[in-house]
PDB file of all heavy atoms in Angstrom:
ATOM      1  N   SER A  16     109.227  99.785  88.855  1.00  0.00           N
ATOM      2  CA  SER A  16     110.453  99.446  89.514  1.00  0.00           C
ATOM      3  C   SER A  16     110.265  98.230  90.457  1.00  0.00           C
ATOM      4  O   SER A  16     109.178  97.917  90.906  1.00  0.00           O
ATOM      5  CB  SER A  16     110.978 100.619  90.313  1.00  0.00           C
ATOM      6  OG  SER A  16     110.934 101.794  89.488  1.00  0.00           O
ATOM      7  N   THR A  17     111.409  97.632  90.858  1.00  0.00           N
ATOM      8  CA  THR A  17     111.372  96.685  91.896  1.00  0.00           C
ATOM      9  C   THR A  17     111.596  97.366  93.171  1.00  0.00           C
ATOM     10  O   THR A  17     112.653  98.169  93.352  1.00  0.00           O
ATOM     11  CB  THR A  17     112.580  95.663  91.644  1.00  0.00           C
ATOM     12  OG1 THR A  17     112.310  94.866  90.556  1.00  0.00           O
ATOM     13  CG2 THR A  17     112.621  94.679  92.897  1.00  0.00           C
ATOM     14  N   LEU A  18     110.686  97.205  94.120  1.00  0.00           N
ATOM     15  CA  LEU A  18     110.682  98.023  95.415  1.00  0.00           C
ATOM     16  C   LEU A  18     111.482  97.269  96.420  1.00  0.00           C
ATOM     17  O   LEU A  18     111.395  96.004  96.505  1.00  0.00           O
ATOM     18  CB  LEU A  18     109.270  98.204  95.867  1.00  0.00           C
ATOM     19  CG  LEU A  18     108.350  98.924  94.804  1.00  0.00           C
ATOM     20  CD1 LEU A  18     106.951  99.171  95.427  1.00  0.00           C
ATOM     21  CD2 LEU A  18     109.024 100.263  94.396  1.00  0.00           C
ATOM     22  N   SER A  19     112.298  97.948  97.237  1.00  0.00           N
ATOM     23  CA  SER A  19     113.312  97.341  98.127  1.00  0.00           C
ATOM     24  C   SER A  19     112.964  97.431  99.614  1.00  0.00           C
ATOM     25  O   SER A  19     113.248  96.517 100.323  1.00  0.00           O
ATOM     26  CB  SER A  19     114.675  97.867  97.795  1.00  0.00           C
ATOM     27  OG  SER A  19     115.014  97.797  96.450  1.00  0.00           O
ATOM     28  N   ASP A  20     112.544  98.654 100.055  1.00  0.00           N
ATOM     29  CA  ASP A  20     112.468  98.831 101.519  1.00  0.00           C
ATOM     30  C   ASP A  20     111.517  99.911 101.756  1.00  0.00           C
ATOM     31  O   ASP A  20     111.093 100.747 100.940  1.00  0.00           O
ATOM     32  CB  ASP A  20     113.841  99.273 102.034  1.00  0.00           C
ATOM     33  CG  ASP A  20     113.871  99.106 103.566  1.00  0.00           C
ATOM     34  OD1 ASP A  20     113.049  98.516 104.174  1.00  0.00           O
ATOM     35  OD2 ASP A  20     115.067  99.532 104.116  1.00  0.00           O
ATOM     36  N   ILE A  21     111.001 100.010 103.060  1.00  0.00           N
ATOM     37  CA  ILE A  21     110.003 100.924 103.399  1.00  0.00           C
ATOM     38  C   ILE A  21     110.298 101.385 104.852  1.00  0.00           C
ATOM     39  O   ILE A  21     110.794 100.679 105.680  1.00  0.00           O
ATOM     40  CB  ILE A  21     108.561 100.308 103.397  1.00  0.00           C
ATOM     41  CG1 ILE A  21     107.501 101.348 103.714  1.00  0.00           C
ATOM     42  CG2 ILE A  21     108.505  99.036 104.288  1.00  0.00           C
ATOM     43  CD1 ILE A  21     106.052 100.824 103.517  1.00  0.00           C
ATOM     44  N   ALA A  22     109.976 102.769 105.186  1.00  0.00           N
ATOM     45  CA  ALA A  22     110.188 103.237 106.447  1.00  0.00           C
ATOM     46  C   ALA A  22     109.215 104.355 106.673  1.00  0.00           C
ATOM     47  O   ALA A  22     108.782 105.072 105.715  1.00  0.00           O
ATOM     48  CB  ALA A  22     111.610 103.655 106.647  1.00  0.00           C
ATOM     49  N   PHE A  23     108.923 104.736 107.929  1.00  0.00           N
ATOM     50  CA  PHE A  23     108.039 105.911 108.236  1.00  0.00           C
ATOM     51  C   PHE A  23     108.764 106.801 109.271  1.00  0.00           C
ATOM     52  O   PHE A  23     109.676 106.538 109.943  1.00  0.00           O
ATOM     53  CB  PHE A  23     106.728 105.361 108.934  1.00  0.00           C
ATOM     54  CG  PHE A  23     105.755 104.791 107.952  1.00  0.00           C
ATOM     55  CD1 PHE A  23     105.951 103.558 107.379  1.00  0.00           C
ATOM     56  CD2 PHE A  23     104.626 105.518 107.617  1.00  0.00           C
ATOM     57  CE1 PHE A  23     105.042 103.060 106.483  1.00  0.00           C
ATOM     58  CE2 PHE A  23     103.674 105.052 106.769  1.00  0.00           C
ATOM     59  CZ  PHE A  23     103.955 103.688 106.103  1.00  0.00           C
ATOM     60  N   THR A  24     108.360 108.061 109.035  1.00  0.00           N
ATOM     61  CA  THR A  24     108.925 109.171 109.943  1.00  0.00           C
ATOM     62  C   THR A  24     108.207 109.117 111.293  1.00  0.00           C
ATOM     63  O   THR A  24     107.524 108.164 111.616  1.00  0.00           O
ATOM     64  CB  THR A  24     108.571 110.485 109.256  1.00  0.00           C
ATOM     65  OG1 THR A  24     107.218 110.698 109.305  1.00  0.00           O
ATOM     66  CG2 THR A  24     109.179 110.569 107.769  1.00  0.00           C
ATOM     67  N   GLN A  25     108.421 110.220 112.056  1.00  0.00           N
ATOM     68  CA  GLN A  25     107.795 110.191 113.445  1.00  0.00           C
ATOM     69  C   GLN A  25     106.326 110.317 113.267  1.00  0.00           C
ATOM     70  O   GLN A  25     105.549 109.978 114.270  1.00  0.00           O
ATOM     71  CB  GLN A  25     108.378 111.391 114.171  1.00  0.00           C
ATOM     72  CG  GLN A  25     107.980 112.792 113.682  1.00  0.00           C
ATOM     73  CD  GLN A  25     108.638 113.794 114.530  1.00  0.00           C
ATOM     74  OE1 GLN A  25     109.457 113.584 115.383  1.00  0.00           O
ATOM     75  NE2 GLN A  25     108.115 115.093 114.420  1.00  0.00           N
ATOM     76  N   ASP A  26     105.778 110.781 112.148  1.00  0.00           N
ATOM     77  CA  ASP A  26     104.369 110.785 111.896  1.00  0.00           C
ATOM     78  C   ASP A  26     103.966 109.360 111.316  1.00  0.00           C
ATOM     79  O   ASP A  26     104.492 108.994 110.171  1.00  0.00           O
ATOM     80  CB  ASP A  26     104.079 111.852 110.813  1.00  0.00           C
ATOM     81  CG  ASP A  26     102.639 111.892 110.328  1.00  0.00           C
ATOM     82  OD1 ASP A  26     101.862 111.066 110.809  1.00  0.00           O
ATOM     83  OD2 ASP A  26     102.217 112.815 109.586  1.00  0.00           O
ATOM     84  N   ALA A  27     103.184 108.628 111.964  1.00  0.00           N
ATOM     85  CA  ALA A  27     102.944 107.253 111.552  1.00  0.00           C
ATOM     86  C   ALA A  27     102.234 107.189 110.275  1.00  0.00           C
ATOM     87  O   ALA A  27     102.266 106.100 109.701  1.00  0.00           O
ATOM     88  CB  ALA A  27     102.050 106.693 112.701  1.00  0.00           C
ATOM     89  N   ASP A  28     101.714 108.209 109.715  1.00  0.00           N
ATOM     90  CA  ASP A  28     101.043 108.223 108.350  1.00  0.00           C
ATOM     91  C   ASP A  28     102.002 108.647 107.242  1.00  0.00           C
ATOM     92  O   ASP A  28     101.595 108.462 106.112  1.00  0.00           O
ATOM     93  CB  ASP A  28      99.834 109.081 108.360  1.00  0.00           C
ATOM     94  CG  ASP A  28      98.633 108.544 109.194  1.00  0.00           C
ATOM     95  OD1 ASP A  28      98.516 107.324 109.229  1.00  0.00           O
ATOM     96  OD2 ASP A  28      97.962 109.374 109.746  1.00  0.00           O
ATOM     97  N   HIS A  29     103.131 109.109 107.607  1.00  0.00           N
ATOM     98  CA  HIS A  29     104.048 109.628 106.654  1.00  0.00           C
ATOM     99  C   HIS A  29     105.254 108.665 106.419  1.00  0.00           C
ATOM    100  O   HIS A  29     106.102 108.533 107.274  1.00  0.00           O
ATOM    101  CB  HIS A  29     104.737 110.982 107.014  1.00  0.00           C
ATOM    102  CG  HIS A  29     105.502 111.702 106.116  1.00  0.00           C
ATOM    103  ND1 HIS A  29     106.358 112.696 106.481  1.00  0.00           N
ATOM    104  CD2 HIS A  29     105.638 111.556 104.731  1.00  0.00           C
ATOM    105  CE1 HIS A  29     107.004 113.090 105.390  1.00  0.00           C
ATOM    106  NE2 HIS A  29     106.480 112.402 104.296  1.00  0.00           N
ATOM    107  N   GLY A  30     105.298 108.073 105.251  1.00  0.00           N
ATOM    108  CA  GLY A  30     106.315 107.086 104.946  1.00  0.00           C
ATOM    109  C   GLY A  30     106.944 107.128 103.594  1.00  0.00           C
ATOM    110  O   GLY A  30     106.482 107.930 102.787  1.00  0.00           O
ATOM    111  N   TRP A  31     107.953 106.368 103.386  1.00  0.00           N
ATOM    112  CA  TRP A  31     108.682 106.318 102.133  1.00  0.00           C
ATOM    113  C   TRP A  31     109.015 104.938 101.729  1.00  0.00           C
ATOM    114  O   TRP A  31     109.311 104.074 102.576  1.00  0.00           O
ATOM    115  CB  TRP A  31     110.006 107.071 102.310  1.00  0.00           C
ATOM    116  CG  TRP A  31     109.783 108.537 102.592  1.00  0.00           C
ATOM    117  CD1 TRP A  31     109.576 109.110 103.790  1.00  0.00           C
ATOM    118  CD2 TRP A  31     109.831 109.622 101.608  1.00  0.00           C
ATOM    119  NE1 TRP A  31     109.396 110.491 103.724  1.00  0.00           N
ATOM    120  CE2 TRP A  31     109.614 110.888 102.397  1.00  0.00           C
ATOM    121  CE3 TRP A  31     110.003 109.734 100.321  1.00  0.00           C
ATOM    122  CZ2 TRP A  31     109.513 112.081 101.762  1.00  0.00           C
ATOM    123  CZ3 TRP A  31     109.940 110.907  99.638  1.00  0.00           C
ATOM    124  CH2 TRP A  31     109.674 112.138 100.331  1.00  0.00           C
ATOM    125  N   ILE A  32     109.093 104.666 100.385  1.00  0.00           N
ATOM    126  CA  ILE A  32     109.470 103.422  99.835  1.00  0.00           C
ATOM    127  C   ILE A  32     110.573 103.720  98.842  1.00  0.00           C
ATOM    128  O   ILE A  32     110.513 104.740  98.122  1.00  0.00           O
ATOM    129  CB  ILE A  32     108.377 102.670  99.162  1.00  0.00           C
ATOM    130  CG1 ILE A  32     107.345 102.092 100.134  1.00  0.00           C
ATOM    131  CG2 ILE A  32     108.791 101.555  98.249  1.00  0.00           C
ATOM    132  CD1 ILE A  32     106.178 101.369  99.603  1.00  0.00           C
ATOM    133  N   VAL A  33     111.659 102.884  98.782  1.00  0.00           N
ATOM    134  CA  VAL A  33     112.655 102.977  97.807  1.00  0.00           C
ATOM    135  C   VAL A  33     112.772 101.725  96.939  1.00  0.00           C
ATOM    136  O   VAL A  33     112.267 100.697  97.370  1.00  0.00           O
ATOM    137  CB  VAL A  33     114.005 103.246  98.424  1.00  0.00           C
ATOM    138  CG1 VAL A  33     114.020 104.573  99.149  1.00  0.00           C
ATOM    139  CG2 VAL A  33     114.381 102.123  99.435  1.00  0.00           C
ATOM    140  N   GLY A  34     113.406 101.943  95.662  1.00  0.00           N
ATOM    141  CA  GLY A  34     113.614 100.815  94.832  1.00  0.00           C
ATOM    142  C   GLY A  34     114.456 101.088  93.662  1.00  0.00           C
ATOM    143  O   GLY A  34     115.316 102.083  93.798  1.00  0.00           O
ATOM    144  N   SER A  35     114.477 100.418  92.640  1.00  0.00           N
ATOM    145  CA  SER A  35     115.315 100.522  91.512  1.00  0.00           C
ATOM    146  C   SER A  35     114.837 101.713  90.670  1.00  0.00           C
ATOM    147  O   SER A  35     113.825 102.289  90.961  1.00  0.00           O
ATOM    148  CB  SER A  35     115.282  99.264  90.622  1.00  0.00           C
ATOM    149  OG  SER A  35     114.005  99.022  90.130  1.00  0.00           O
ATOM    150  N   ARG A  36     115.704 102.101  89.673  1.00  0.00           N
ATOM    151  CA  ARG A  36     115.372 103.252  88.803  1.00  0.00           C
ATOM    152  C   ARG A  36     115.181 104.529  89.538  1.00  0.00           C
ATOM    153  O   ARG A  36     114.289 105.375  89.185  1.00  0.00           O
ATOM    154  CB  ARG A  36     114.225 102.885  87.890  1.00  0.00           C
ATOM    155  CG  ARG A  36     114.314 101.617  87.138  1.00  0.00           C
ATOM    156  CD  ARG A  36     113.122 101.365  86.293  1.00  0.00           C
ATOM    157  NE  ARG A  36     113.140 100.070  85.618  1.00  0.00           N
ATOM    158  CZ  ARG A  36     112.156  99.623  84.856  1.00  0.00           C
ATOM    159  NH1 ARG A  36     111.086 100.371  84.686  1.00  0.00           N
ATOM    160  NH2 ARG A  36     112.347  98.473  84.251  1.00  0.00           N
ATOM    161  N   ASN A  37     115.926 104.810  90.648  1.00  0.00           N
ATOM    162  CA  ASN A  37     115.918 106.046  91.441  1.00  0.00           C
ATOM    163  C   ASN A  37     114.505 106.157  92.030  1.00  0.00           C
ATOM    164  O   ASN A  37     114.097 107.272  92.410  1.00  0.00           O
ATOM    165  CB  ASN A  37     116.150 107.236  90.554  1.00  0.00           C
ATOM    166  CG  ASN A  37     117.534 107.290  90.004  1.00  0.00           C
ATOM    167  OD1 ASN A  37     118.367 106.489  90.463  1.00  0.00           O
ATOM    168  ND2 ASN A  37     117.780 108.150  89.017  1.00  0.00           N
ATOM    169  N   THR A  38     113.842 105.046  92.298  1.00  0.00           N
ATOM    170  CA  THR A  38     112.411 105.206  92.810  1.00  0.00           C
ATOM    171  C   THR A  38     112.428 105.629  94.267  1.00  0.00           C
ATOM    172  O   THR A  38     113.058 105.099  95.058  1.00  0.00           O
ATOM    173  CB  THR A  38     111.663 103.871  92.654  1.00  0.00           C
ATOM    174  OG1 THR A  38     111.642 103.523  91.302  1.00  0.00           O
ATOM    175  CG2 THR A  38     110.344 103.889  93.289  1.00  0.00           C
ATOM    176  N   LEU A  39     111.608 106.643  94.425  1.00  0.00           N
ATOM    177  CA  LEU A  39     111.319 107.150  95.806  1.00  0.00           C
ATOM    178  C   LEU A  39     109.883 107.485  95.860  1.00  0.00           C
ATOM    179  O   LEU A  39     109.408 108.510  95.171  1.00  0.00           O
ATOM    180  CB  LEU A  39     112.144 108.409  96.065  1.00  0.00           C
ATOM    181  CG  LEU A  39     112.247 108.891  97.504  1.00  0.00           C
ATOM    182  CD1 LEU A  39     112.844 107.907  98.437  1.00  0.00           C
ATOM    183  CD2 LEU A  39     113.067 110.278  97.584  1.00  0.00           C
ATOM    184  N   LEU A  40     109.097 106.824  96.710  1.00  0.00           N
ATOM    185  CA  LEU A  40     107.668 106.968  96.886  1.00  0.00           C
ATOM    186  C   LEU A  40     107.349 107.506  98.264  1.00  0.00           C
ATOM    187  O   LEU A  40     107.944 107.084  99.201  1.00  0.00           O
ATOM    188  CB  LEU A  40     106.929 105.678  96.653  1.00  0.00           C
ATOM    189  CG  LEU A  40     107.202 104.921  95.317  1.00  0.00           C
ATOM    190  CD1 LEU A  40     106.436 103.630  95.304  1.00  0.00           C
ATOM    191  CD2 LEU A  40     106.713 105.773  94.114  1.00  0.00           C
ATOM    192  N   GLU A  41     106.261 108.384  98.311  1.00  0.00           N
ATOM    193  CA  GLU A  41     105.894 109.006  99.567  1.00  0.00           C
ATOM    194  C   GLU A  41     104.503 108.835  99.845  1.00  0.00           C
ATOM    195  O   GLU A  41     103.595 108.896  98.873  1.00  0.00           O
ATOM    196  CB  GLU A  41     106.296 110.536  99.583  1.00  0.00           C
ATOM    197  CG  GLU A  41     105.935 111.222 100.925  1.00  0.00           C
ATOM    198  CD  GLU A  41     106.357 112.699 100.876  1.00  0.00           C
ATOM    199  OE1 GLU A  41     106.389 113.144  99.749  1.00  0.00           O
ATOM    200  OE2 GLU A  41     106.473 113.317 101.881  1.00  0.00           O
ATOM    201  N   THR A  42     104.016 108.490 101.095  1.00  0.00           N
ATOM    202  CA  THR A  42     102.703 108.444 101.437  1.00  0.00           C
ATOM    203  C   THR A  42     102.419 109.348 102.677  1.00  0.00           C
ATOM    204  O   THR A  42     103.364 109.569 103.438  1.00  0.00           O
ATOM    205  CB  THR A  42     102.260 107.022 101.877  1.00  0.00           C
ATOM    206  OG1 THR A  42     100.887 106.956 102.175  1.00  0.00           O
ATOM    207  CG2 THR A  42     103.121 106.612 103.137  1.00  0.00           C
ATOM    208  N   GLN A  43     101.234 109.977 102.640  1.00  0.00           N
ATOM    209  CA  GLN A  43     100.800 110.782 103.754  1.00  0.00           C
ATOM    210  C   GLN A  43      99.567 110.253 104.521  1.00  0.00           C
ATOM    211  O   GLN A  43      99.066 110.888 105.445  1.00  0.00           O
ATOM    212  CB  GLN A  43     100.531 112.204 103.220  1.00  0.00           C
ATOM    213  CG  GLN A  43     101.708 113.006 102.545  1.00  0.00           C
ATOM    214  CD  GLN A  43     102.687 113.555 103.537  1.00  0.00           C
ATOM    215  OE1 GLN A  43     102.563 113.420 104.698  1.00  0.00           O
ATOM    216  NE2 GLN A  43     103.696 114.145 102.939  1.00  0.00           N
ATOM    217  N   ASP A  44      99.189 109.060 104.065  1.00  0.00           N
ATOM    218  CA  ASP A  44      97.999 108.464 104.610  1.00  0.00           C
ATOM    219  C   ASP A  44      98.179 107.065 105.141  1.00  0.00           C
ATOM    220  O   ASP A  44      97.325 106.195 105.022  1.00  0.00           O
ATOM    221  CB  ASP A  44      96.838 108.573 103.665  1.00  0.00           C
ATOM    222  CG  ASP A  44      97.173 107.748 102.287  1.00  0.00           C
ATOM    223  OD1 ASP A  44      98.175 107.080 102.246  1.00  0.00           O
ATOM    224  OD2 ASP A  44      96.407 107.960 101.352  1.00  0.00           O
ATOM    225  N   GLY A  45      99.413 106.757 105.616  1.00  0.00           N
ATOM    226  CA  GLY A  45      99.638 105.457 106.227  1.00  0.00           C
ATOM    227  C   GLY A  45      99.873 104.403 105.233  1.00  0.00           C
ATOM    228  O   GLY A  45     100.025 103.214 105.654  1.00  0.00           O
TER     229      GLY A  45
END
């Protein structure tokens, strides 16, 4: 997918990326 935006929760290592094709990616390690 083409990725559009990124943000992190109150946990600095826990973040999300969004994009096309319903893409939702999660990280737990920064």
Side-chain angles (χ1 to χ4, degrees):
S16 310
T17 295
L18 305 180
S19 306
D20 199 8
I21 183 171
F23 281 74
T24 68
Q25 67 180 17
D26 178 353
D28 288 330
H29 185 200
W31 296 84
I32 285 176
V33 295
S35 63
R36 303 180 185 179
N37 295 349
T38 295
L39 192 63
L40 305 176
E41 182 180 18
T42 182
Q43 300 281 1
D44 58 11

